[in-house]
Amino acid sequence: MSNSLPRSTARLKGLLNGYYQDLEAAAKDPARKVAWCTSAGPAELLSAMGFQTYFPENHGALLGARRLSTNFIAKSNARGYSPDICSYLTADIGAYLSGQTPLKTAYGIEGLPKPDVLVYNTSQCREVQDWFTFYGREYGVPVFGIYSPWKVETPLPREAVSDVARQLERLCEDLAPVAGRRLDCDRLAQVVRYSAESTALWKRFLETARRRPSPITFFDATIHMAPIVVMRGTEAAVDYYAGLLDETREFVDAASAAVPGERIRFYWEGMPNWGKLRFFSNLFSELKACAVASTYCHSWAFEGLDLARPFESLAEANLQVFINRGELYKEGYLKKMVEDYGIDAIVFHEAKTCPYNTNSRFGLPQRLQERYGIPSVTIYGDLCDLRCFSEEQTRTQVEALAEQLAPVSRRAG
Ligand code: SF4
């Protein structure tokens, strides 16, 4: 990986250490409460009600990145959780059943922070409901869900926004007995403000990749995205992303290339293959190809959070995540990203255990090629389960795409 942002990378470790140490302290303190939450929310509401929030998906990604998933997935399979369902879920539950977690060595905590409540949102997939319900049974704590209408197009249906906003309001009532307090609207406004600021800075950081050559890669973004997932409603996240943006701008000003000699610009579509990020980074660098944008990292660039109508705007932000959108929206979004970032081709990652965040199964690559002339390749793998991935096959496919693009990208350069 290019590791072109050393100051921020050094700060990141300290920031995440502080986050996990505080989570552990909260889990041990009877006066404080811990909520486990899905990545797209409703983290802001939970923070505003005084909960420290923990994200099992982030744990799944860590298990994948450290290549610890395979044995843990087998543990889950033995408990009846299929090898075909989300490998974040199976790796995470398997790690729990084994009594192991890389959080101990990564952040010096004793183990998972015991939850007082679990809250999921189905805007991303149905798996999260079963995942969180498992832990609800294990820990004997309540589980609440927000049920989001799926596959919404533009404009967002008002009845869908209203439905989710009312569910969020109801959730506050359900959470009050666990939190030992009611929602503090001033505190919610402050959390939403920090969330809006940090996600706006995150978006501006990602947008630096519009420059040619790009100062960052998709792989850099996967390293720096942890705070936007786990800490986005905090002042610390705002400070972190302001510093990250400043540092990246220095590279922009110096016309520094994340991939020296950049001649091809890729878009990464779908989940990261966490255990193979270095393989892809090296492969793309060999081909002088830079992955300049991705659906995954841009999914946390929430827009439109509005202090004046926090429930509605949180509902909108939640409903309009890419994974929850209809095919027409997705087609238009990808076309615009290709234009905005000067992308030569899309790499579709077909993740075996995440059909929800895989967009190559219903003809979208073919429509983008036929309607707009956007080339692509579909590679096969998974987010955590390395048994689904072949380096040789993938290398052959990506090299063939680069070869096909070479004359085009030479003209563009
Ligand atoms: S969206 Fe995919 S990776 Fe995320 S929890 Fe759902 S199935 Fe797992």
Side-chain angles (χ1 to χ4, degrees):
M1 285 175 245
S2 65
N3 194 23
S4 58
L5 300 157
R7 277 205 313 272
S8 297
T9 304
R11 285 177 64 216
L12 182 64
K13 176 79 176 159
L15 186 66
L16 294 176
N17 258 329
Y19 163 76
Y20 279 106
Q21 298 283 343
D22 190 46
L23 254 179
E24 179 162 80
K28 288 179 173 174
D29 182 348
R32 300 176 70 193
K33 302 293 176 188
V34 173
W36 289 18
C37 184
T38 40
S39 63
E44 287 82 359
L45 272 190
L46 292 165
S47 298
M49 294 192 75
F51 290 100
Q52 297 306 120
T53 46
Y54 166 78
F55 298 83
E57 286 159 78
N58 191 246
H59 192 234
L62 186 62
L63 292 166
R66 301 223 165 176
R67 302 185 185 189
L68 297 169
S69 303
T70 307
N71 290 339
F72 293 147
I73 290 171
K75 278 266 181 198
S76 282
N77 299 159
R79 187 60 98 86
Y81 287 86
S82 163
D84 292 333
I85 64 172
C86 173
S87 59
Y88 274 175
L89 181 162
T90 48
D92 180 65
I93 288 181
Y96 168 83
L97 293 171
S98 308
Q100 294 182 45
T101 171
L103 294 174
K104 292 181 184 176
T105 49
Y107 304 111
I109 64 173
E110 291 170 13
L112 302 181
K114 183 180 177 305
D116 295 287
V117 67
L118 299 110
V119 184
Y120 60 84
N121 190 323
T122 61
S123 61
Q124 58 193 90
C125 65
R126 61 143 292 161
E127 256 66 351
V128 292
Q129 180 176 5
D130 296 278
W131 189 355
F132 279 37
T133 305
F134 168 85
Y135 285 117
R137 288 191 299 269
E138 289 293 312
Y139 288 108
V141 297
V143 185
F144 299 112
I146 299 290
Y147 299 90
S148 297
W150 270 8
K151 307 297 173 200
V152 291
E153 289 289 357
T154 300
L156 290 181
R158 295 318 304 168
E159 59 274 19
V161 175
S162 172
D163 174 5
V164 174
R166 298 296 82 79
Q167 289 189 58
L168 291 170
E169 288 175 359
R170 168 67 192 271
L171 178 66
C172 294
E173 300 297 316
D174 291 337
L175 287 171
V178 186
R181 64 175 87 169
R182 299 190 66 76
L183 176 69
D184 176 338
C185 291
D186 291 339
R187 173 76 185 132
L188 178 61
Q190 187 183 48
V191 172
V192 169
R193 182 181 301 115
Y194 285 144
S195 206
E197 286 176 21
S198 58
T199 55
L201 287 163
W202 171 245
K203 184 163 184 257
R204 285 161 67 193
F205 161 71
L206 295 175
E207 285 174 347
T208 62
R210 292 185 183 194
R211 295 291 292 259
R212 193 184 288 265
S214 173
I216 58 171
T217 70
F218 160 64
F219 307 105
D220 296 319
T222 60
I223 291 169
H224 294 282
M225 72 183 296
I228 206 64
V229 178
V230 302
M231 302 177 68
R232 66 178 174 272
T234 67
E235 190 174 12
V238 175
D239 289 346
Y240 179 74
Y241 286 110
L244 179 66
L245 184 59
D246 282 346
E247 186 177 11
T248 310
R249 282 180 173 151
E250 292 170 19
F251 286 88
V252 171
D253 292 343
S256 175
V259 174
E262 173 193 301
R263 70 182 182 98
I264 297 172
R265 292 164 70 86
F266 281 147
Y267 183 93
W268 183 278
E269 211 306 299
M271 295 296 293
N273 183 334
W274 288 109
K276 292 291 173 181
L277 292 181
R278 187 165 294 282
F279 164 79
F280 278 105
S281 177
N282 291 343
L283 173 60
F284 289 4
S285 290
E286 282 170 30
L287 299 169
K288 306 281 185 229
C290 183
V292 297
S294 68
T295 314
Y296 186 72
C297 293
H298 282 260
S299 288
W300 274 270
F302 299 118
E303 287 179 3
L305 291 177
D306 183 350
L307 304 181
R309 40 183 210 99
F311 287 102
E312 272 70 20
S313 69
L314 283 170
E316 287 165 1
N318 172 248
L319 282 166
Q320 63 196 7
V321 290
F322 184 87
I323 192 171
N324 194 44
R325 305 310 293 270
E327 288 287 289
L328 268 180
Y329 172 87
K330 288 180 176 176
E331 193 177 308
Y333 178 89
L334 292 175
K335 173 178 177 283
K336 185 162 182 343
M337 291 297 279
V338 165
E339 291 166 356
D340 289 351
Y341 285 78
I343 283 157
D344 297 302
I346 300 177
V347 177
F348 281 90
H349 177 208
E350 185 157 328
K352 170 84 165 60
T353 71
C354 180
Y356 310 96
N357 222 358
T358 291
N359 290 294
S360 51
R361 294 183 178 181
F362 295 94
L364 183 55
Q366 289 74 10
R367 289 196 298 281
L368 288 168
Q369 172 73 61
E370 286 160 16
R371 292 182 184 168
Y372 311 115
I374 300 170
S376 64
V377 66
T378 298
I379 56 166
Y380 299 88
D382 192 50
L383 43 150
C384 285
D385 194 339
L386 292 174
R387 295 169 298 187
C388 305
F389 180 70
S390 157
E391 284 192 4
E392 293 72 25
Q393 183 185 338
T394 305
R395 172 178 283 279
T396 303
Q397 287 182 281
V398 175
E399 284 177 348
L401 176 67
E403 185 64 26
Q404 171 199 333
L405 291 171
V408 177
S409 53
R410 269 198 294 274
R411 278 202 302 276

